[in-house]
Amino acid sequence: MRALQLAVLLCCLPTLFALKAGDWKTCSQSAFCRRGRALAARAKEAGPTWNSPYSVDASSVAVAAGEATFSAAVKSSVYPDIKFKLDLQVLQDGVVRVRMDEVDGLRKRYDETASWALIADPKVSSNVQWTVGKKDVRAVYGDVTVVVKYEPLKVSLLRGGQEEIVLNGGGLLNMEHFRTKEEPTVAAAPGEESAQEVLEEKPNPAAWFEGEEDGWWEETFKSWTDKKPKGPESLSIDIDFPHHGHLYGIPQHATLLDLPTTAGESPVFDEPYRLHNADVFEYLASSPMSLYGSIPLLYAHAASGSTVGVFHVVGSETWIDVAHPSADASHTHWVSESGVLDTFLLPGPTPAAVAAQYARLTGAPVLPAQWALGYHQCRWNYISSDDVRSVQHRFDEEDIPVDVFWLDIEYAEEHKYFIWDKKSFPDPVDMTNDVEAIGRKMVVIIDPHLKRAKDYPIYKEATELDVLVKQSNGETEYEGWCWTGSSSWVDFFNPKSWAWWRDLFKTTPLENGKYSWLDSTENVGVWNDMNEPAIFNGPEITMPKDSVHYGGWEHRDVHNINGMLFSNQTWQALYARSDPPKRPFVLTRSFFAGSHRFGAMWTGDNLGTWEHMAVGLKMVLANSLGGMSFSGADVGGFFGNPEPEMLVRWYQLGAFFPFFRAHAHIDTKRREPYLLDEPYKSILRDVLRLRYKLLPVWYTAFRETSVTGSPVLRPQFFVFPGDETGASIDDQFYVGSSGLLVKPVTTKGATETTVYLSDKKPYYDYFTNSIYRGGQKEITRDPFTLRVALDGTGTARGELYLDDGDSFAHEHGQIVWREFVAESKGKGKSKSLRLKSTDLVTAHLAEAVDGVALATYDPTNAFAESIKNVKIERIAVLGLGKKPAAVKTDDGRALEWEYVEGVSSVGKKEGAASVLTIKNPGVFVSAGWDIIIE
């Protein structure tokens, strides 16, 4: 997108902030990460002589009848008495599941992560057969071969005979088994009386592989000591991509989309990428540090265009080293604190195929309410009901569009969520109704920490129900410190908490007399913040790892899953709040694989700097690859007071985030768009209007991602996988399949920018219609204007999806999904261009709606009838080769049109494209029609 020009150059300096890096661990301060890196160092030092101690017992291989599943016993040469079991499955779509667990151990490893992340048990293929050989087990389907080598254990996925994904090829698999803590033996010192004794430690014969004891039973970080009664239980695995030189994913990190190295020769970072959900406020703009969410999904991409992926289903803290042994190969080493090996190999072979395979496992992103795609105005905090009304009035007075107003924590009395501070908000329902009266919505924050106060009904009921997280003894409520002061946390792993939490959001009295949110409405959205969980007096500002959840599991086992369950149950509560249900809006800060089923997320407490603006885009792209398409960053930066130029640039970027919200810290100056001086205020007004003009594009893109799993924002490699030059580009992107290419400006003082075009098709400047070589088609609304951007063959195609935008009636076929095509007909003087609108639903019943295969479709359904009179008021055709002789409907009705000479889409010329504008064509957005351009 060409940048909006600024007439004034500014030189204001932003407020400076600093990350307190010492509040969070490095790998060397984390015992299990330290052990994992030491294992890799020993393997590297040993070179070719290093062999994994794990092997498959060939005599134990058992192939299931009628499905592509086999299991086998795995043994370790360093611990022959410890038993492991390996299970492999080929799923119906060709994905391979590799699972390994300890058998008959002293304790049970946490194995429930998949039950939270996956939408259902994956369906195993009944057509693929495993072949058992003397040295391996293998399965062949299409051009894919899966090989499980017995000794040492190695799992490979090959395409066309070439290894694409390899597990344990470098011998770094290590599942630390449960063991009994051995105290040093006591022996008499030589030549002395037995009364003088010394402590002797037994030599460890496994030290060549696992090293000496290091933080097995406890470790200390700053003032906190982590007791580990279960002992060591970490999981290490190396995953290599011998022919894929680019890696993307494993969000959330503030770094490049094409992940920089952390190991190997001259690594960019000296720390591994960490997945450990944490409240890292004022985070660095370039770092592998953990942030608020964790999705253990990795894409590997090759110069040939081949793309594969791995989904490593572990919910505990995980560190990942990344290296490139050569320009076209990648090595990764994953080290997790606990859990079983449960890894899905996604064979691709394209980025879209990997996204679809992941979506079939974890579910596709939920289709949001249409209003949620508008502009959201937030700050910490709007201080009163009158303040909210005043802000709304100013937006209307300045004719600046906005859809949603937000309330941060200060609305709640003593930060007791659900309970309004009636001094500042004496009329919360009336205030909300005033906002809703003109079609807008309110979003209110609900954090997971409950104030430990006897007069707080939410805490009182949670205590009575016994659904709060416990201390390490498994009995006493865990107590920590957060915004509410002394606080406890709901344990959403406990099924008893679910119905109770849903009832809290009811806006009518409950029959059982329990609390419900009467001071709310059925349209209020909810913001779930601080759900990592953030705990001010906890280690690394979070919950101690030896805290106990439902089922006796330690917090260390489920830390990264914890935040997802909070937003999951909030989404379920909003769904159950009304009858019939309305699409819930929930924003979460913490997330895990599968969180995309429950709403939106944002990149947390960023800074008002140019660097954070730029990296925010890279983070949103990475989050989108992880399924979190409904994502964005705080426009303007949460911290700091950006100068007008920066704020304008941030809005220009934010308007092309799927989730578009401005937010600011309580100590910042107010910066609502109407407060800016001219020309900045008018520029922001135009940016916001552009967002609303393109809402049909956004909504159609969200429908596509809710069915296919392909992200709403698509990086260059995703759209053009065969273009090696564009494989690392992360400062421009495409919006769905619309053909809309966006290049924001994120550098100070810039008045122009360079856009990279992967192909030779014509690309049209959205604002000037100038033609460059590239291009597809885009559909915009003004209120409905169809813009047809012809490609290099003089044709075009696009889609438009519509429904009521609020309910779940789309799951019952109450939709309109149209295809618009421009195609050439005839030759010579009889050649014409035909524009057509046709129904897509009938021919694609299984793909029209996420998770629902429609049995039939009625084009005259109630929703379609409700918009049958909505016209397409104008059609603009860009790139015609010459002025038409006539423009008419297929029944011969002549249409009014005008033509401006310009460059044709066919050929090599650049410059202002020709524009044919058809005025009031008399056709309708939900109906079929043909227009002939002769």
Side-chain angles (χ1 to χ4, degrees):
M1 187 185 78
R2 178 161 293 180
L4 299 179
Q5 301 299 308
L6 296 178
V8 181
L9 296 179
L10 302 165
C11 58
C12 299
L13 294 176
T15 304
L16 298 179
F17 296 88
L19 171 77
K20 298 178 181 177
D23 286 342
W24 295 275
K25 291 181 180 179
T26 62
C27 179
S28 64
Q29 295 170 314
S30 171
F32 78 91
C33 183
R34 204 164 53 232
R35 297 197 299 269
R37 269 198 159 180
L39 171 65
R42 288 190 294 274
K44 181 179 180 180
E45 184 178 0
T49 65
W50 181 268
N51 274 310
S52 172
Y54 294 93
S55 61
V56 173
D57 180 355
S59 65
S60 70
V61 175
V63 178
E67 65 175 34
T69 299
F70 89 84
S71 61
V74 172
K75 53 189 177 182
S76 167
S77 61
V78 293
Y79 288 105
D81 296 333
I82 305 301
K83 302 175 184 178
F84 302 92
K85 183 184 178 185
L86 177 70
D87 295 283
L88 265 86
Q89 298 175 326
V90 179
L91 307 185
Q92 289 182 351
D93 61 355
V95 169
V96 179
R97 187 177 192 177
V98 182
R99 200 171 186 279
M100 181 172 141
D101 194 3
E102 186 176 350
V103 177
D104 299 329
L106 292 178
R107 300 175 183 85
K108 180 179 173 60
R109 301 180 75 93
Y110 185 74
D111 61 355
E112 298 175 9
T113 303
S115 68
W116 301 112
L118 305 187
I119 195 169
D121 289 333
K123 295 181 179 179
V124 181
S125 172
S126 58
N127 299 320
V128 178
Q129 299 291 324
W130 288 102
T131 301
V132 181
K134 293 182 179 180
K135 295 182 178 180
D136 58 42
V137 182
R138 59 181 59 209
V140 181
Y141 49 100
D143 61 349
V144 174
T145 302
V146 181
V147 179
V148 181
K149 181 183 174 183
Y150 294 156
E151 189 169 359
L153 170 61
K154 173 183 167 183
V155 180
S156 303
L157 184 145
L158 300 85
R159 174 170 277 108
Q162 177 176 277
E163 286 186 330
E164 299 216 320
I165 309 175
V166 180
L167 273 63
N168 200 37
L172 301 185
L173 171 64
N174 184 23
M175 182 173 282
E176 293 181 330
H177 65 279
F178 289 118
R179 62 198 78 193
T180 302
K181 186 177 182 179
E182 295 185 3
E183 302 296 339
T185 57
V186 180
E192 301 288 342
E193 297 295 329
S194 60
Q196 185 176 348
E197 299 173 331
V198 296
L199 299 178
E200 291 184 341
E201 292 189 4
K202 296 180 180 179
N204 180 9
W208 70 269
F209 177 69
E210 69 176 6
E212 299 295 347
E213 181 176 332
D214 178 12
W216 285 3
W217 303 98
E218 71 173 42
E219 62 179 298
T220 300
F221 174 68
K222 299 179 75 171
S223 62
W224 294 278
T225 297
D226 178 16
K227 300 286 186 179
K228 305 177 185 179
K230 294 187 295 182
E233 53 175 319
S234 75
L235 170 67
S236 163
I237 183 71
D238 56 295
I239 305 177
D240 292 331
F241 308 92
H243 298 93
H244 294 74
H246 302 278
L247 298 176
Y248 316 98
I250 55 171
Q252 184 180 39
H253 300 96
T255 188
L256 302 176
L257 181 68
D258 193 349
L259 293 169
T261 55
T262 66
E265 297 297 325
S266 304
V268 176
F269 297 125
D270 56 10
E271 287 289 314
Y273 292 99
R274 190 184 189 195
L275 296 178
H276 181 249
N277 296 356
D279 181 10
V280 186
F281 46 89
E282 302 173 357
Y283 55 84
L284 299 175
S286 177
S287 172
M289 284 182 68
S290 58
L291 291 176
Y292 306 93
S294 300
I295 299 179
L297 171 69
L298 186 71
Y299 288 65
H301 182 69
S304 64
S306 167
T307 307
V308 295
V310 292
F311 176 34
H312 190 59
V313 192
V314 176
S316 64
E317 177 187 350
T318 299
W319 301 74
I320 306 160
D321 265 319
V322 167
H324 294 298
S326 65
D328 59 355
S330 299
H331 163 80
T332 65
H333 180 203
W334 305 60
V335 185
S336 303
E337 185 166 19
S338 67
V340 300
L341 176 66
D342 194 359
T343 303
F344 292 86
L345 313 184
L346 313 179
T350 64
V354 171
Q357 289 154 3
Y358 177 68
R360 282 190 286 272
L361 292 171
T362 61
V366 66
L367 182 64
Q370 192 170 31
W371 60 262
L373 303 185
Y375 172 61
H376 298 245
Q377 181 63 50
C378 181
R379 74 171 281 111
W380 177 25
N381 204 89
Y382 292 119
I383 60 174
S384 67
S385 298
D386 289 341
D387 193 9
V388 172
R389 292 184 174 99
S390 173
V391 171
Q392 173 164 258
H393 175 72
R394 287 297 306 277
F395 269 93
D396 292 339
E397 187 177 57
E398 298 286 351
D399 196 23
I400 297 175
V402 62
D403 259 324
V404 194
F405 295 110
W406 291 56
L407 289 177
D408 210 321
I409 59 176
E410 307 305 330
Y411 83 91
E413 179 185 86
E414 298 178 345
H415 300 146
K416 294 183 289 189
Y417 306 107
F418 297 96
I419 310 298
W420 293 85
D421 181 348
K422 291 300 182 72
K423 293 180 180 178
S424 299
F425 296 89
D427 56 348
V429 174
D430 288 343
M431 174 197 69
T432 304
N433 287 336
D434 287 346
V435 170
E436 294 178 1
I438 49 179
R440 295 184 177 125
K441 300 292 189 294
M442 290 289 303
V443 174
V444 178
I445 197 168
I446 301 288
D447 283 351
H449 44 272
L450 303 183
K451 186 175 184 66
R452 293 170 59 85
K454 294 181 180 180
D455 63 347
Y456 182 27
I458 316 301
Y459 171 70
K460 183 174 181 291
E461 290 178 11
T463 300
E464 293 170 349
L465 198 58
D466 192 25
V467 292
L468 297 173
V469 178
K470 302 297 192 292
Q471 295 181 21
S472 59
N473 60 19
E475 298 178 359
T476 310
E477 289 176 8
Y478 170 72
E479 179 182 2
W481 203 262
C482 205
W483 297 121
T484 57
S486 176
S487 306
S488 288
W489 278 257
V490 178
D491 182 6
F492 286 102
F493 291 91
N494 190 333
K496 290 195 302 182
S497 69
W498 301 345
W500 167 74
W501 188 254
R502 287 197 296 271
D503 284 347
L504 292 177
F505 289 85
K506 295 286 188 181
T507 59
T508 55
L510 302 179
E511 293 182 0
N512 60 12
K514 298 292 185 178
Y515 180 89
S516 64
W517 204 10
L518 303 182
D519 285 338
S520 184
T521 77
E522 291 185 351
N523 296 311
V524 168
V526 174
W527 172 14
N528 286 161
D529 197 357
M530 309 293 285
N531 49 331
E532 294 75 27
I535 300 176
F536 297 155
N537 64 336
E540 300 192 273
I541 316 179
T542 192
M543 186 170 284
K545 291 183 174 181
D546 56 1
S547 302
V548 177
H549 290 268
Y550 176 78
W553 297 110
E554 287 187 307
H555 185 71
R556 78 181 75 250
D557 300 314
V558 300
H559 176 82
N560 287 343
I561 312 169
N562 182 80
M564 177 174 74
L565 268 60
F566 182 44
S567 57
N568 175 347
Q569 291 306 316
T570 300
W571 193 95
Q572 301 292 347
L574 300 194
Y575 180 90
R577 179 175 59 182
S578 56
D579 185 18
K582 300 176 182 179
R583 292 182 217 172
F585 176 81
V586 177
L587 178 75
T588 182
R589 189 171 73 176
S590 179
F591 55 90
F592 186 65
S595 287
H596 54 265
R597 301 193 299 268
F598 313 111
M601 57 74 56
W602 90 108
T603 61
D605 296 345
N606 57 356
L607 302 180
T609 66
W610 292 98
E611 292 79 10
H612 270 256
M613 186 195 312
V615 81
L617 170 56
K618 306 175 198 308
M619 294 168 71
V620 168
L621 291 174
N623 292 334
S624 298
L625 290 176
M628 299 300 298
S629 266
F630 200 5
S631 60
D634 282 344
V635 170
F638 180 62
F639 294 103
N641 296 298
E643 68 268 28
E645 180 194 358
M646 184 192 298
L647 196 58
V648 164
R649 292 302 190 194
W650 215 311
Y651 268 86
Q652 290 172 349
L653 170 60
F656 286 94
F657 283 155
F659 174 58
F660 181 21
R661 182 184 76 156
H663 185 38
H665 190 273
I666 196 170
D667 292 331
T668 63
K669 297 177 182 177
R670 290 221 170 178
R671 46 171 129 112
E672 287 75 13
Y674 52 74
L675 293 177
L676 271 70
D677 294 329
E678 295 292 359
Y680 307 109
K681 179 166 62 177
S682 291
I683 294 174
L684 292 194
R685 182 187 293 112
D686 290 342
V687 169
L688 289 164
R689 286 176 176 174
L690 178 61
R691 171 68 173 210
Y692 283 88
K693 186 176 183 180
L694 290 173
L695 277 184
V697 173
W698 287 106
Y699 200 55
T700 299
F702 267 95
R703 185 221 64 87
E704 183 183 1
T705 197
S706 75
V707 174
T708 68
S710 286
V712 171
L713 292 197
R714 299 177 185 176
Q716 197 73 23
F717 91 92
F718 199 97
V719 179
F720 294 97
D723 178 17
E724 172 66 8
T725 304
S728 298
I729 290 177
D730 55 11
D731 60 355
Q732 63 182 53
F733 55 88
Y734 292 82
V735 179
S737 297
S738 69
L740 193 60
L741 170 61
V742 181
K743 172 64 182 286
V745 176
T746 58
T747 53
K748 182 178 177 62
T751 58
E752 62 182 15
T753 189
T754 300
V755 180
Y756 176 78
L757 306 179
S758 281
D759 58 9
K760 296 180 180 180
K761 294 179 180 179
Y763 284 72
Y764 299 84
D765 187 307
Y766 183 85
F767 302 101
T768 68
N769 292 331
S770 291
I771 195 169
Y772 303 92
R773 285 297 134 185
Q776 282 187 31
K777 176 178 186 298
E778 60 191 62
I779 305 169
T780 63
R781 181 173 186 171
D782 189 27
F784 269 105
T785 294
L786 190 63
R787 183 174 295 198
V788 183
L790 300 177
D791 66 14
T793 66
T795 62
R797 181 194 175 278
E799 299 176 10
L800 176 66
Y801 173 82
L802 300 168
D803 60 28
D804 68 15
D806 186 55
S807 76
F808 288 85
H810 63 293
E811 295 182 352
H812 303 286
Q814 301 293 311
I815 62 177
V816 168
W817 182 23
R818 307 296 300 181
E819 178 182 50
F820 301 102
V821 173
E823 55 187 5
S824 295
K825 296 290 184 179
K827 295 182 179 180
K829 293 183 178 180
S830 63
K831 186 176 182 180
S832 64
L833 185 71
R834 180 179 290 262
L835 309 181
K836 293 184 65 173
S837 169
T838 57
D839 168 51
L840 278 172
V841 184
T842 303
H844 302 278
L845 292 172
E847 296 86 34
V849 179
D850 171 32
V852 177
L854 299 176
T856 60
Y857 174 68
D858 179 7
T860 63
N861 64 78
F863 171 73
E865 285 294 294
S866 73
I867 64 167
K868 68 179 182 180
N869 294 323
V870 176
K871 292 182 178 181
I872 294 178
E873 295 187 342
R874 184 178 62 173
I875 299 175
V877 182
L878 310 181
L880 279 176
K882 62 180 181 178
K883 182 177 180 179
V887 180
K888 60 186 179 181
T889 61
D890 60 344
D891 61 3
R893 179 169 55 90
L895 299 177
E896 181 185 358
W897 57 275
E898 63 181 30
Y899 180 77
V900 178
E901 294 284 351
V903 175
S904 168
S905 68
V906 179
K908 298 182 179 180
K909 289 184 178 180
E910 295 189 348
S914 67
V915 181
L916 169 66
T917 303
I918 305 172
K919 302 177 180 179
N920 299 312
V923 296
F924 299 90
V925 72
S926 62
W929 46 261
D930 288 70
I931 293 176
I932 301 167
I933 303 170
E934 296 180 341

